[in-house]
Amino acid sequence: QVHLVESGGGLVQAGGSLRLSCAASGRAFSNFAMGWFRQAPGKEREFVTTIGSSGRSTHYADSVKGRFTISRDNAKNTAYLQMNSLKPEDTAVYYCAAASTPYTRTAGDAYDYWGQGTQVTVSS
């Protein structure tokens, strides 16, 4: 079992930045690929980014490429999502997730564990 807790969400103006953190506890964090997903009101959950267990491989949704950066610190059992140049359309609840594989995964159903989510609101 892996327990994930997100933090760092909040309200920010368009063009601003936020850094989300995802703290993991339980099984060996370094064995899991991590991902970030988001869900806006009235919309389906969508993939944002993923990172492999070693941190060497990443993949981004086109909508965030060049603005968001995923990273991880296996010594701290924590994954991060640095979000820059935020836009109002980035407003959503952001979820981190862990997949029982070392490889990046973009599909939500590839993930075994999910956090409770953190709200990000970008004002125009």
Side-chain angles (χ1 to χ4, degrees), residues 38-74:
R38 66 187 182 185
Q39 187 167 21
K43 295 188 177 181
E44 293 187 354
R45 182 183 64 195
E46 66 172 349
F47 165 78
V48 176
T49 181
T50 178
I51 187 168
S53 60
S54 69
R56 290 192 293 267
S57 298
T58 59
H59 184 74
Y60 296 90
D62 287 344
S63 59
V64 306
K65 201 171 293 183
R67 299 188 299 122
F68 290 11
T69 302
I70 189 172
S71 61
R72 65 189 296 158
D73 185 338
N74 286 345

PDB file of all heavy atoms in Angstrom, residues 38-74:
ATOM      1  N   ARG A  38      -5.266  15.918 -13.632  1.00  0.00           N
ATOM      2  CA  ARG A  38      -6.101  17.004 -13.147  1.00  0.00           C
ATOM      3  C   ARG A  38      -7.527  16.832 -13.642  1.00  0.00           C
ATOM      4  O   ARG A  38      -7.773  16.186 -14.657  1.00  0.00           O
ATOM      5  CB  ARG A  38      -5.546  18.360 -13.578  1.00  0.00           C
ATOM      6  CG  ARG A  38      -5.574  18.614 -15.085  1.00  0.00           C
ATOM      7  CD  ARG A  38      -4.838  19.908 -15.410  1.00  0.00           C
ATOM      8  NE  ARG A  38      -4.886  20.218 -16.839  1.00  0.00           N
ATOM      9  CZ  ARG A  38      -4.237  21.235 -17.399  1.00  0.00           C
ATOM     10  NH1 ARG A  38      -3.470  22.039 -16.659  1.00  0.00           N
ATOM     11  NH2 ARG A  38      -4.337  21.457 -18.700  1.00  0.00           N
ATOM     12  N   GLN A  39      -8.435  17.416 -12.882  1.00  0.00           N
ATOM     13  CA  GLN A  39      -9.840  17.367 -13.264  1.00  0.00           C
ATOM     14  C   GLN A  39     -10.471  18.710 -12.981  1.00  0.00           C
ATOM     15  O   GLN A  39     -10.511  19.168 -11.826  1.00  0.00           O
ATOM     16  CB  GLN A  39     -10.584  16.261 -12.513  1.00  0.00           C
ATOM     17  CG  GLN A  39     -12.003  16.061 -12.996  1.00  0.00           C
ATOM     18  CD  GLN A  39     -12.617  14.776 -12.487  1.00  0.00           C
ATOM     19  OE1 GLN A  39     -12.178  14.197 -11.500  1.00  0.00           O
ATOM     20  NE2 GLN A  39     -13.645  14.299 -13.189  1.00  0.00           N
ATOM     21  N   ALA A  40     -10.964  19.330 -14.044  1.00  0.00           N
ATOM     22  CA  ALA A  40     -11.665  20.606 -13.928  1.00  0.00           C
ATOM     23  C   ALA A  40     -13.158  20.336 -13.749  1.00  0.00           C
ATOM     24  O   ALA A  40     -13.651  19.268 -14.144  1.00  0.00           O
ATOM     25  CB  ALA A  40     -11.421  21.450 -15.176  1.00  0.00           C
ATOM     26  N   PRO A  41     -13.889  21.282 -13.185  1.00  0.00           N
ATOM     27  CA  PRO A  41     -15.336  21.089 -12.982  1.00  0.00           C
ATOM     28  C   PRO A  41     -16.042  20.765 -14.292  1.00  0.00           C
ATOM     29  O   PRO A  41     -15.849  21.446 -15.312  1.00  0.00           O
ATOM     30  CB  PRO A  41     -15.789  22.442 -12.427  1.00  0.00           C
ATOM     31  CG  PRO A  41     -14.585  23.009 -11.779  1.00  0.00           C
ATOM     32  CD  PRO A  41     -13.425  22.559 -12.617  1.00  0.00           C
ATOM     33  N   GLY A  42     -16.834  19.709 -14.266  1.00  0.00           N
ATOM     34  CA  GLY A  42     -17.602  19.334 -15.440  1.00  0.00           C
ATOM     35  C   GLY A  42     -16.812  18.639 -16.529  1.00  0.00           C
ATOM     36  O   GLY A  42     -17.353  18.364 -17.609  1.00  0.00           O
ATOM     37  N   LYS A  43     -15.539  18.372 -16.259  1.00  0.00           N
ATOM     38  CA  LYS A  43     -14.697  17.722 -17.267  1.00  0.00           C
ATOM     39  C   LYS A  43     -14.150  16.401 -16.735  1.00  0.00           C
ATOM     40  O   LYS A  43     -14.110  16.169 -15.527  1.00  0.00           O
ATOM     41  CB  LYS A  43     -13.548  18.644 -17.672  1.00  0.00           C
ATOM     42  CG  LYS A  43     -13.992  19.910 -18.380  1.00  0.00           C
ATOM     43  CD  LYS A  43     -12.800  20.674 -18.917  1.00  0.00           C
ATOM     44  CE  LYS A  43     -13.232  21.901 -19.697  1.00  0.00           C
ATOM     45  NZ  LYS A  43     -12.063  22.644 -20.254  1.00  0.00           N
ATOM     46  N   GLU A  44     -13.700  15.581 -17.650  1.00  0.00           N
ATOM     47  CA  GLU A  44     -13.094  14.325 -17.253  1.00  0.00           C
ATOM     48  C   GLU A  44     -11.671  14.568 -16.755  1.00  0.00           C
ATOM     49  O   GLU A  44     -11.013  15.549 -17.120  1.00  0.00           O
ATOM     50  CB  GLU A  44     -13.076  13.350 -18.437  1.00  0.00           C
ATOM     51  CG  GLU A  44     -14.467  12.911 -18.864  1.00  0.00           C
ATOM     52  CD  GLU A  44     -14.423  11.820 -19.910  1.00  0.00           C
ATOM     53  OE1 GLU A  44     -13.325  11.488 -20.386  1.00  0.00           O
ATOM     54  OE2 GLU A  44     -15.502  11.293 -20.234  1.00  0.00           O
ATOM     55  N   ARG A  45     -11.208  13.635 -15.958  1.00  0.00           N
ATOM     56  CA  ARG A  45      -9.818  13.673 -15.499  1.00  0.00           C
ATOM     57  C   ARG A  45      -8.893  13.569 -16.706  1.00  0.00           C
ATOM     58  O   ARG A  45      -9.148  12.786 -17.628  1.00  0.00           O
ATOM     59  CB  ARG A  45      -9.555  12.525 -14.541  1.00  0.00           C
ATOM     60  CG  ARG A  45      -8.163  12.486 -13.958  1.00  0.00           C
ATOM     61  CD  ARG A  45      -8.015  11.264 -13.086  1.00  0.00           C
ATOM     62  NE  ARG A  45      -8.134  10.039 -13.855  1.00  0.00           N
ATOM     63  CZ  ARG A  45      -8.330   8.841 -13.324  1.00  0.00           C
ATOM     64  NH1 ARG A  45      -8.438   8.713 -12.001  1.00  0.00           N
ATOM     65  NH2 ARG A  45      -8.410   7.770 -14.088  1.00  0.00           N
ATOM     66  N   GLU A  46      -7.817  14.349 -16.692  1.00  0.00           N
ATOM     67  CA  GLU A  46      -6.884  14.301 -17.812  1.00  0.00           C
ATOM     68  C   GLU A  46      -5.454  14.146 -17.311  1.00  0.00           C
ATOM     69  O   GLU A  46      -5.078  14.632 -16.239  1.00  0.00           O
ATOM     70  CB  GLU A  46      -7.004  15.546 -18.700  1.00  0.00           C
ATOM     71  CG  GLU A  46      -6.602  16.839 -18.041  1.00  0.00           C
ATOM     72  CD  GLU A  46      -6.562  18.004 -19.017  1.00  0.00           C
ATOM     73  OE1 GLU A  46      -6.647  17.780 -20.253  1.00  0.00           O
ATOM     74  OE2 GLU A  46      -6.429  19.151 -18.548  1.00  0.00           O
ATOM     75  N   PHE A  47      -4.667  13.504 -18.120  1.00  0.00           N
ATOM     76  CA  PHE A  47      -3.250  13.307 -17.857  1.00  0.00           C
ATOM     77  C   PHE A  47      -2.516  14.629 -17.979  1.00  0.00           C
ATOM     78  O   PHE A  47      -2.772  15.409 -18.893  1.00  0.00           O
ATOM     79  CB  PHE A  47      -2.685  12.296 -18.853  1.00  0.00           C
ATOM     80  CG  PHE A  47      -1.192  12.260 -18.916  1.00  0.00           C
ATOM     81  CD1 PHE A  47      -0.457  11.622 -17.946  1.00  0.00           C
ATOM     82  CD2 PHE A  47      -0.525  12.879 -19.968  1.00  0.00           C
ATOM     83  CE1 PHE A  47       0.924  11.590 -18.012  1.00  0.00           C
ATOM     84  CE2 PHE A  47       0.845  12.858 -20.052  1.00  0.00           C
ATOM     85  CZ  PHE A  47       1.581  12.206 -19.069  1.00  0.00           C
ATOM     86  N   VAL A  48      -1.577  14.858 -17.050  1.00  0.00           N
ATOM     87  CA  VAL A  48      -0.744  16.054 -17.115  1.00  0.00           C
ATOM     88  C   VAL A  48       0.711  15.676 -17.414  1.00  0.00           C
ATOM     89  O   VAL A  48       1.293  16.153 -18.385  1.00  0.00           O
ATOM     90  CB  VAL A  48      -0.813  16.848 -15.789  1.00  0.00           C
ATOM     91  CG1 VAL A  48       0.148  18.043 -15.823  1.00  0.00           C
ATOM     92  CG2 VAL A  48      -2.246  17.306 -15.521  1.00  0.00           C
ATOM     93  N   THR A  49       1.285  14.806 -16.577  1.00  0.00           N
ATOM     94  CA  THR A  49       2.682  14.452 -16.751  1.00  0.00           C
ATOM     95  C   THR A  49       3.002  13.201 -15.952  1.00  0.00           C
ATOM     96  O   THR A  49       2.274  12.836 -15.028  1.00  0.00           O
ATOM     97  CB  THR A  49       3.599  15.618 -16.322  1.00  0.00           C
ATOM     98  OG1 THR A  49       4.973  15.256 -16.516  1.00  0.00           O
ATOM     99  CG2 THR A  49       3.398  15.962 -14.834  1.00  0.00           C
ATOM    100  N   THR A  50       4.101  12.543 -16.314  1.00  0.00           N
ATOM    101  CA  THR A  50       4.544  11.350 -15.619  1.00  0.00           C
ATOM    102  C   THR A  50       6.064  11.313 -15.582  1.00  0.00           C
ATOM    103  O   THR A  50       6.728  11.898 -16.451  1.00  0.00           O
ATOM    104  CB  THR A  50       3.973  10.099 -16.304  1.00  0.00           C
ATOM    105  OG1 THR A  50       4.456   8.913 -15.644  1.00  0.00           O
ATOM    106  CG2 THR A  50       4.387  10.029 -17.762  1.00  0.00           C
ATOM    107  N   ILE A  51       6.588  10.593 -14.592  1.00  0.00           N
ATOM    108  CA  ILE A  51       8.031  10.432 -14.458  1.00  0.00           C
ATOM    109  C   ILE A  51       8.315   8.991 -14.066  1.00  0.00           C
ATOM    110  O   ILE A  51       7.596   8.407 -13.241  1.00  0.00           O
ATOM    111  CB  ILE A  51       8.594  11.430 -13.418  1.00  0.00           C
ATOM    112  CG1 ILE A  51      10.118  11.395 -13.383  1.00  0.00           C
ATOM    113  CG2 ILE A  51       7.997  11.195 -12.031  1.00  0.00           C
ATOM    114  CD1 ILE A  51      10.731  12.570 -12.594  1.00  0.00           C
ATOM    115  N   GLY A  52       9.355   8.425 -14.658  1.00  0.00           N
ATOM    116  CA  GLY A  52       9.736   7.072 -14.327  1.00  0.00           C
ATOM    117  C   GLY A  52      10.343   6.968 -12.939  1.00  0.00           C
ATOM    118  O   GLY A  52      10.652   7.981 -12.304  1.00  0.00           O
ATOM    119  N   SER A  53      10.511   5.737 -12.477  1.00  0.00           N
ATOM    120  CA  SER A  53      10.950   5.530 -11.099  1.00  0.00           C
ATOM    121  C   SER A  53      12.328   6.116 -10.823  1.00  0.00           C
ATOM    122  O   SER A  53      12.596   6.572  -9.704  1.00  0.00           O
ATOM    123  CB  SER A  53      10.940   4.040 -10.746  1.00  0.00           C
ATOM    124  OG  SER A  53      11.821   3.338 -11.602  1.00  0.00           O
ATOM    125  N   SER A  54      13.200   6.128 -11.815  1.00  0.00           N
ATOM    126  CA  SER A  54      14.545   6.669 -11.621  1.00  0.00           C
ATOM    127  C   SER A  54      14.600   8.183 -11.786  1.00  0.00           C
ATOM    128  O   SER A  54      15.579   8.819 -11.395  1.00  0.00           O
ATOM    129  CB  SER A  54      15.510   6.044 -12.617  1.00  0.00           C
ATOM    130  OG  SER A  54      15.206   6.489 -13.924  1.00  0.00           O
ATOM    131  N   GLY A  55      13.578   8.736 -12.388  1.00  0.00           N
ATOM    132  CA  GLY A  55      13.547  10.173 -12.641  1.00  0.00           C
ATOM    133  C   GLY A  55      14.121  10.581 -13.981  1.00  0.00           C
ATOM    134  O   GLY A  55      14.090  11.758 -14.345  1.00  0.00           O
ATOM    135  N   ARG A  56      14.651   9.623 -14.726  1.00  0.00           N
ATOM    136  CA  ARG A  56      15.309   9.956 -15.995  1.00  0.00           C
ATOM    137  C   ARG A  56      14.322  10.151 -17.147  1.00  0.00           C
ATOM    138  O   ARG A  56      14.630  10.830 -18.113  1.00  0.00           O
ATOM    139  CB  ARG A  56      16.332   8.886 -16.357  1.00  0.00           C
ATOM    140  CG  ARG A  56      17.562   8.876 -15.464  1.00  0.00           C
ATOM    141  CD  ARG A  56      18.655   8.001 -16.058  1.00  0.00           C
ATOM    142  NE  ARG A  56      18.276   6.591 -16.055  1.00  0.00           N
ATOM    143  CZ  ARG A  56      18.593   5.752 -15.079  1.00  0.00           C
ATOM    144  NH1 ARG A  56      19.267   6.182 -14.025  1.00  0.00           N
ATOM    145  NH2 ARG A  56      18.238   4.483 -15.139  1.00  0.00           N
ATOM    146  N   SER A  57      13.166   9.535 -17.058  1.00  0.00           N
ATOM    147  CA  SER A  57      12.190   9.616 -18.146  1.00  0.00           C
ATOM    148  C   SER A  57      10.975  10.408 -17.707  1.00  0.00           C
ATOM    149  O   SER A  57      10.445  10.205 -16.607  1.00  0.00           O
ATOM    150  CB  SER A  57      11.747   8.214 -18.565  1.00  0.00           C
ATOM    151  OG  SER A  57      12.845   7.472 -19.042  1.00  0.00           O
ATOM    152  N   THR A  58      10.533  11.301 -18.567  1.00  0.00           N
ATOM    153  CA  THR A  58       9.330  12.079 -18.302  1.00  0.00           C
ATOM    154  C   THR A  58       8.500  12.187 -19.575  1.00  0.00           C
ATOM    155  O   THR A  58       8.996  11.975 -20.690  1.00  0.00           O
ATOM    156  CB  THR A  58       9.669  13.505 -17.818  1.00  0.00           C
ATOM    157  OG1 THR A  58      10.448  14.166 -18.829  1.00  0.00           O
ATOM    158  CG2 THR A  58      10.436  13.480 -16.509  1.00  0.00           C
ATOM    159  N   HIS A  59       7.244  12.534 -19.384  1.00  0.00           N
ATOM    160  CA  HIS A  59       6.351  12.730 -20.529  1.00  0.00           C
ATOM    161  C   HIS A  59       5.304  13.753 -20.105  1.00  0.00           C
ATOM    162  O   HIS A  59       4.844  13.730 -18.954  1.00  0.00           O
ATOM    163  CB  HIS A  59       5.682  11.412 -20.926  1.00  0.00           C
ATOM    164  CG  HIS A  59       4.838  11.525 -22.146  1.00  0.00           C
ATOM    165  ND1 HIS A  59       5.362  11.633 -23.407  1.00  0.00           N
ATOM    166  CD2 HIS A  59       3.488  11.559 -22.283  1.00  0.00           C
ATOM    167  CE1 HIS A  59       4.376  11.721 -24.275  1.00  0.00           C
ATOM    168  NE2 HIS A  59       3.228  11.682 -23.628  1.00  0.00           N
ATOM    169  N   TYR A  60       4.950  14.636 -21.038  1.00  0.00           N
ATOM    170  CA  TYR A  60       4.021  15.721 -20.723  1.00  0.00           C
ATOM    171  C   TYR A  60       2.871  15.761 -21.714  1.00  0.00           C
ATOM    172  O   TYR A  60       3.039  15.476 -22.899  1.00  0.00           O
ATOM    173  CB  TYR A  60       4.737  17.070 -20.765  1.00  0.00           C
ATOM    174  CG  TYR A  60       5.817  17.228 -19.727  1.00  0.00           C
ATOM    175  CD1 TYR A  60       7.125  16.847 -19.994  1.00  0.00           C
ATOM    176  CD2 TYR A  60       5.515  17.754 -18.475  1.00  0.00           C
ATOM    177  CE1 TYR A  60       8.111  16.975 -19.037  1.00  0.00           C
ATOM    178  CE2 TYR A  60       6.505  17.891 -17.504  1.00  0.00           C
ATOM    179  CZ  TYR A  60       7.793  17.495 -17.791  1.00  0.00           C
ATOM    180  OH  TYR A  60       8.773  17.644 -16.836  1.00  0.00           O
ATOM    181  N   ALA A  61       1.722  16.179 -21.228  1.00  0.00           N
ATOM    182  CA  ALA A  61       0.625  16.508 -22.124  1.00  0.00           C
ATOM    183  C   ALA A  61       1.013  17.744 -22.931  1.00  0.00           C
ATOM    184  O   ALA A  61       1.717  18.627 -22.429  1.00  0.00           O
ATOM    185  CB  ALA A  61      -0.647  16.775 -21.326  1.00  0.00           C
ATOM    186  N   ASP A  62       0.544  17.820 -24.149  1.00  0.00           N
ATOM    187  CA  ASP A  62       0.887  18.954 -25.005  1.00  0.00           C
ATOM    188  C   ASP A  62       0.457  20.281 -24.371  1.00  0.00           C
ATOM    189  O   ASP A  62       1.124  21.305 -24.564  1.00  0.00           O
ATOM    190  CB  ASP A  62       0.221  18.806 -26.370  1.00  0.00           C
ATOM    191  CG  ASP A  62       0.872  17.731 -27.219  1.00  0.00           C
ATOM    192  OD1 ASP A  62       2.007  17.314 -26.892  1.00  0.00           O
ATOM    193  OD2 ASP A  62       0.245  17.296 -28.202  1.00  0.00           O
ATOM    194  N   SER A  63      -0.626  20.252 -23.626  1.00  0.00           N
ATOM    195  CA  SER A  63      -1.170  21.481 -23.061  1.00  0.00           C
ATOM    196  C   SER A  63      -0.269  22.106 -21.999  1.00  0.00           C
ATOM    197  O   SER A  63      -0.416  23.294 -21.683  1.00  0.00           O
ATOM    198  CB  SER A  63      -2.556  21.223 -22.474  1.00  0.00           C
ATOM    199  OG  SER A  63      -2.482  20.230 -21.465  1.00  0.00           O
ATOM    200  N   VAL A  64       0.646  21.332 -21.434  1.00  0.00           N
ATOM    201  CA  VAL A  64       1.506  21.849 -20.364  1.00  0.00           C
ATOM    202  C   VAL A  64       2.980  21.827 -20.740  1.00  0.00           C
ATOM    203  O   VAL A  64       3.817  22.336 -19.975  1.00  0.00           O
ATOM    204  CB  VAL A  64       1.295  21.084 -19.046  1.00  0.00           C
ATOM    205  CG1 VAL A  64      -0.180  21.072 -18.656  1.00  0.00           C
ATOM    206  CG2 VAL A  64       1.845  19.665 -19.115  1.00  0.00           C
ATOM    207  N   LYS A  65       3.301  21.255 -21.867  1.00  0.00           N
ATOM    208  CA  LYS A  65       4.693  21.116 -22.269  1.00  0.00           C
ATOM    209  C   LYS A  65       5.356  22.487 -22.351  1.00  0.00           C
ATOM    210  O   LYS A  65       4.798  23.423 -22.917  1.00  0.00           O
ATOM    211  CB  LYS A  65       4.759  20.403 -23.620  1.00  0.00           C
ATOM    212  CG  LYS A  65       6.080  19.750 -23.915  1.00  0.00           C
ATOM    213  CD  LYS A  65       5.966  18.888 -25.185  1.00  0.00           C
ATOM    214  CE  LYS A  65       5.064  17.706 -24.985  1.00  0.00           C
ATOM    215  NZ  LYS A  65       5.005  16.828 -26.178  1.00  0.00           N
ATOM    216  N   GLY A  66       6.534  22.595 -21.753  1.00  0.00           N
ATOM    217  CA  GLY A  66       7.258  23.855 -21.750  1.00  0.00           C
ATOM    218  C   GLY A  66       6.896  24.763 -20.593  1.00  0.00           C
ATOM    219  O   GLY A  66       7.588  25.757 -20.344  1.00  0.00           O
ATOM    220  N   ARG A  67       5.814  24.448 -19.894  1.00  0.00           N
ATOM    221  CA  ARG A  67       5.397  25.272 -18.758  1.00  0.00           C
ATOM    222  C   ARG A  67       5.496  24.517 -17.430  1.00  0.00           C
ATOM    223  O   ARG A  67       5.791  25.123 -16.401  1.00  0.00           O
ATOM    224  CB  ARG A  67       3.945  25.732 -18.946  1.00  0.00           C
ATOM    225  CG  ARG A  67       3.731  26.589 -20.178  1.00  0.00           C
ATOM    226  CD  ARG A  67       2.316  27.172 -20.204  1.00  0.00           C
ATOM    227  NE  ARG A  67       1.277  26.147 -20.246  1.00  0.00           N
ATOM    228  CZ  ARG A  67       0.312  26.024 -19.331  1.00  0.00           C
ATOM    229  NH1 ARG A  67       0.249  26.852 -18.309  1.00  0.00           N
ATOM    230  NH2 ARG A  67      -0.602  25.064 -19.445  1.00  0.00           N
ATOM    231  N   PHE A  68       5.232  23.229 -17.456  1.00  0.00           N
ATOM    232  CA  PHE A  68       5.240  22.407 -16.252  1.00  0.00           C
ATOM    233  C   PHE A  68       6.468  21.498 -16.266  1.00  0.00           C
ATOM    234  O   PHE A  68       6.906  21.049 -17.332  1.00  0.00           O
ATOM    235  CB  PHE A  68       3.999  21.531 -16.178  1.00  0.00           C
ATOM    236  CG  PHE A  68       2.705  22.261 -15.910  1.00  0.00           C
ATOM    237  CD1 PHE A  68       2.610  23.643 -15.970  1.00  0.00           C
ATOM    238  CD2 PHE A  68       1.573  21.538 -15.578  1.00  0.00           C
ATOM    239  CE1 PHE A  68       1.417  24.290 -15.732  1.00  0.00           C
ATOM    240  CE2 PHE A  68       0.364  22.168 -15.324  1.00  0.00           C
ATOM    241  CZ  PHE A  68       0.287  23.549 -15.417  1.00  0.00           C
ATOM    242  N   THR A  69       6.979  21.212 -15.077  1.00  0.00           N
ATOM    243  CA  THR A  69       8.106  20.294 -14.942  1.00  0.00           C
ATOM    244  C   THR A  69       7.838  19.337 -13.793  1.00  0.00           C
ATOM    245  O   THR A  69       7.551  19.769 -12.665  1.00  0.00           O
ATOM    246  CB  THR A  69       9.410  21.053 -14.660  1.00  0.00           C
ATOM    247  OG1 THR A  69       9.655  21.987 -15.719  1.00  0.00           O
ATOM    248  CG2 THR A  69      10.587  20.080 -14.575  1.00  0.00           C
ATOM    249  N   ILE A  70       7.936  18.051 -14.079  1.00  0.00           N
ATOM    250  CA  ILE A  70       7.794  17.030 -13.043  1.00  0.00           C
ATOM    251  C   ILE A  70       9.189  16.616 -12.593  1.00  0.00           C
ATOM    252  O   ILE A  70      10.129  16.556 -13.398  1.00  0.00           O
ATOM    253  CB  ILE A  70       6.986  15.822 -13.549  1.00  0.00           C
ATOM    254  CG1 ILE A  70       6.647  14.873 -12.397  1.00  0.00           C
ATOM    255  CG2 ILE A  70       7.700  15.114 -14.689  1.00  0.00           C
ATOM    256  CD1 ILE A  70       5.689  13.743 -12.772  1.00  0.00           C
ATOM    257  N   SER A  71       9.299  16.330 -11.315  1.00  0.00           N
ATOM    258  CA  SER A  71      10.563  15.839 -10.780  1.00  0.00           C
ATOM    259  C   SER A  71      10.258  14.966  -9.563  1.00  0.00           C
ATOM    260  O   SER A  71       9.109  14.891  -9.124  1.00  0.00           O
ATOM    261  CB  SER A  71      11.491  16.994 -10.395  1.00  0.00           C
ATOM    262  OG  SER A  71      10.899  17.799  -9.384  1.00  0.00           O
ATOM    263  N   ARG A  72      11.288  14.308  -9.061  1.00  0.00           N
ATOM    264  CA  ARG A  72      11.108  13.484  -7.878  1.00  0.00           C
ATOM    265  C   ARG A  72      12.400  13.436  -7.094  1.00  0.00           C
ATOM    266  O   ARG A  72      13.495  13.564  -7.663  1.00  0.00           O
ATOM    267  CB  ARG A  72      10.648  12.084  -8.260  1.00  0.00           C
ATOM    268  CG  ARG A  72      11.653  11.283  -9.047  1.00  0.00           C
ATOM    269  CD  ARG A  72      11.030   9.983  -9.590  1.00  0.00           C
ATOM    270  NE  ARG A  72      10.623   9.099  -8.499  1.00  0.00           N
ATOM    271  CZ  ARG A  72       9.704   8.129  -8.633  1.00  0.00           C
ATOM    272  NH1 ARG A  72       9.120   7.940  -9.809  1.00  0.00           N
ATOM    273  NH2 ARG A  72       9.405   7.357  -7.614  1.00  0.00           N
ATOM    274  N   ASP A  73      12.245  13.234  -5.813  1.00  0.00           N
ATOM    275  CA  ASP A  73      13.382  13.042  -4.918  1.00  0.00           C
ATOM    276  C   ASP A  73      13.120  11.739  -4.177  1.00  0.00           C
ATOM    277  O   ASP A  73      12.341  11.702  -3.227  1.00  0.00           O
ATOM    278  CB  ASP A  73      13.511  14.221  -3.947  1.00  0.00           C
ATOM    279  CG  ASP A  73      14.751  14.132  -3.077  1.00  0.00           C
ATOM    280  OD1 ASP A  73      15.277  13.025  -2.896  1.00  0.00           O
ATOM    281  OD2 ASP A  73      15.180  15.173  -2.574  1.00  0.00           O
ATOM    282  N   ASN A  74      13.755  10.672  -4.633  1.00  0.00           N
ATOM    283  CA  ASN A  74      13.493   9.359  -4.044  1.00  0.00           C
ATOM    284  C   ASN A  74      13.986   9.270  -2.607  1.00  0.00           C
ATOM    285  O   ASN A  74      13.455   8.484  -1.815  1.00  0.00           O
ATOM    286  CB  ASN A  74      14.111   8.264  -4.900  1.00  0.00           C
ATOM    287  CG  ASN A  74      13.324   8.032  -6.187  1.00  0.00           C
ATOM    288  OD1 ASN A  74      12.186   8.468  -6.319  1.00  0.00           O
ATOM    289  ND2 ASN A  74      13.943   7.353  -7.142  1.00  0.00           N
TER     290      ASN A  74
END
